[in-house]
């Protein structure tokens, strides 16, 4: 004898879905955006929504704009700087030589 649970295997809201049950869908706009790599993406927006100037490209991550001929420039990423690179920005070579000479003198017991 089968179980008496009539809704087994179904979920809430399951059934024929259509405009009659859900109502009319909101008006939508599909806007094309192009990135500097030439990728096109077409997100859809509500008819009364404010369209953004840029949109992130889902393929490469660069910013995309609505002008196909003049897409936004990709962001300029700074390379990773080591600790030594930051020290060289703050100190001149002469300062480095003086600090090295002082440290060597201290190690040799001259100070």
């Amino acid at each position: 004898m089968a179980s008496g649970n009539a809704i087994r295997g179904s979920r809430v809201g399951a059934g024929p879905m259509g405009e009659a049950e859900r109502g009319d869908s909101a008006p939508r706009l599909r806007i094309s955006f192009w990135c500097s790599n030439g990728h096109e993406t077409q997100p859809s927006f509500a008819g009364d929504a404010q369209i953004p100037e840029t949109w992130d490209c889902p393929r490469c991550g660069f910013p995309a704009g609505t002008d196909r001929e003049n897409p936004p420039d990709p962001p300029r990423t700074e390379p990773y700087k080591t600790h030594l690179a930051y020290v060289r920005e703050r100190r001149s070579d002469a300062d480095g030589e003086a600090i090295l000479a002082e440290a060597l003198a201290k190690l040799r017991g001259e100070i």
Side-chain angles (χ1 to χ4, degrees):
M1 185 158 121
S3 173
N5 191 350
I7 61 170
R8 183 180 180 116
S10 65
R11 63 181 191 272
V12 176
M17 297 293 268
E19 296 297 323
E21 288 186 18
R22 292 183 302 198
D24 294 332
S25 60
R28 296 276 177 194
L29 295 173
R30 291 190 67 82
I31 306 294
S32 293
F33 288 88
W34 288 273
C35 70
S36 59
N37 288 334
H39 303 140
E40 179 185 11
T41 183
Q42 291 184 331
S44 64
F45 298 95
D48 58 349
Q50 182 178 356
I51 307 301
E53 292 181 18
T54 61
W55 191 263
D56 289 340
C57 177
R59 291 182 64 190
C60 64
F62 287 168
T66 55
D67 185 6
R68 184 178 198 163
E69 301 302 320
N70 191 14
D73 294 328
R76 185 168 184 261
T77 56
E78 294 292 325
Y80 174 76
K81 287 186 182 179
T82 63
H83 176 71
L84 182 59
Y86 283 110
V87 170
R88 285 184 175 165
E89 285 180 358
R90 293 192 315 264
R91 309 254 188 220
S92 67
D93 287 340
D95 291 341
E97 291 293 329
I99 292 171
L100 178 62
E102 181 182 336
L104 289 174
K106 189 182 287 186
L107 284 174
R108 292 179 182 135
E110 297 171 4
I111 294 180

